[in-house]
Amino acid sequence: MPYGYYYRYWDPTYILVIIGVIISLWASAKVKTTYSKYSRVRSMSGLTGAQAAERILHSAGLYDVRIEHISGDLTDHYDPKNRVLRLSDTVYGSASVAAVGVAAHECGHAVQDQKDYAPLRIRNSLVPVANFGTMAAWPIIIIGLIFGSSHFLVNLGILLFSLGVLFQLVTLPVEFDASSRAIQILGNTGILYGDEIRQTRKVLNAAAMTYVAAAAASILSLLRLILLFGGRDRD
């Protein structure tokens, strides 16, 4: 009887959630181990992440982008609204090839902003609606389920959740392009040499996989919602 009870209430769509969690954990572990490995390799130029970022920004004609030090581990990001490049504890003052690579990647976003890179513009415009959709989706779906005949609310919740998935998908070309720009700039400016470029590429590729994993997990979650509730209006 106990076995039959649990089997009866086992939701096979949980497999999609589990797959998404496994992919995300793998990507997170990959970027941490890769960054840790190459954070112990000092760049031949001796430039810190902050110094490399300043050189890259100036070489691109970006003199109005501030560089700030923020706390945290790999919390680096470019703020297009305030035109600020924020580098974390592990990047700002480190002269490793990993730190220089991450700093260059964030500079890649600043260059995208300068050149009015379309996917970046689209992603930035999606931020408020994606945040709202992600927060509101489940409450709306639950309300729709409570009022069993409200198929509209359930479908609206799924639609709102899909906005977050769209944001994750648009993020992918933005991040890959920023890494590509970073590698090219590092080679052209001579900040990194020879094998250092290959090592930095490994760091940035590992970081990019976290965005791929996030997108995959979001798609799997959306698929689960569609499988669970998408056909309710036909019941």
Side-chain angles (χ1 to χ4, degrees):
M1 177 69 74
Y3 174 81
Y5 175 82
Y6 287 114
Y7 178 79
R8 182 181 176 185
Y9 287 95
W10 162 249
D11 177 4
T13 63
Y14 278 129
I15 295 175
L16 297 176
V17 177
I18 294 171
I19 293 173
V21 170
I22 292 173
I23 293 173
S24 297
L25 289 175
W26 172 82
S28 178
K30 178 68 175 178
V31 70
K32 287 180 180 178
T33 55
T34 305
Y35 187 87
S36 177
K37 177 180 179 180
Y38 292 109
S39 66
R40 295 190 292 270
V41 179
R42 181 179 174 84
S43 66
M44 287 186 285
S45 69
L47 293 175
T48 64
Q51 291 169 338
E54 182 178 37
R55 179 176 294 187
I56 291 170
L57 292 174
H58 289 178
S59 70
L62 292 168
Y63 294 94
D64 59 339
V65 176
R66 300 195 317 275
I67 300 173
E68 295 182 355
H69 182 193
I70 59 170
S71 61
D73 183 17
L74 295 180
T75 51
D76 314 84
H77 63 278
Y78 170 66
D79 178 356
K81 181 179 180 180
N82 297 304
R83 297 187 64 76
V84 177
L85 193 74
R86 299 188 175 96
L87 302 178
S88 65
D89 294 329
T90 54
V91 171
Y92 187 90
S94 172
S96 70
V97 295
V100 170
V102 171
H105 173 88
E106 299 307 328
C107 289
H109 288 309
V111 173
Q112 289 174 337
D113 189 23
Q114 176 196 43
K115 296 183 178 299
D116 204 27
Y117 181 60
L120 179 66
R121 291 283 174 258
I122 296 171
R123 186 182 74 166
N124 291 343
S125 67
L126 283 174
V127 169
V129 292
N131 287 340
F132 173 77
T134 301
M135 290 187 300
W138 271 107
I140 290 176
I141 289 173
I142 291 172
I143 293 173
L145 293 175
I146 292 174
F147 298 96
S149 61
S150 184
H151 308 306
F152 170 77
L153 288 179
V154 173
N155 291 333
L156 176 61
I158 294 175
L159 178 61
L160 289 174
F161 188 88
S162 68
L163 294 175
V165 176
L166 177 62
F167 175 81
Q168 296 286 357
L169 292 175
V170 173
T171 293
L172 294 180
V174 174
E175 296 300 329
F176 279 107
D177 180 78
S179 291
S180 178
R181 292 176 190 268
I183 294 298
Q184 183 177 2
I185 292 171
L186 288 172
N188 291 343
T189 57
I191 294 175
L192 295 182
Y193 304 92
D195 202 44
E196 293 178 327
I197 296 293
R198 180 185 62 82
Q199 294 168 340
T200 297
R201 183 179 285 110
K202 288 185 176 181
V203 174
L204 297 183
N205 286 344
M209 285 303 102
T210 62
Y211 294 100
V212 174
S218 295
I219 292 171
L220 289 170
S221 295
L222 177 60
L223 177 59
R224 178 172 182 260
L225 287 176
I226 293 172
L227 290 174
L228 285 175
F229 309 120
R232 293 180 67 88
D233 56 347
R234 297 189 297 270
D235 293 344

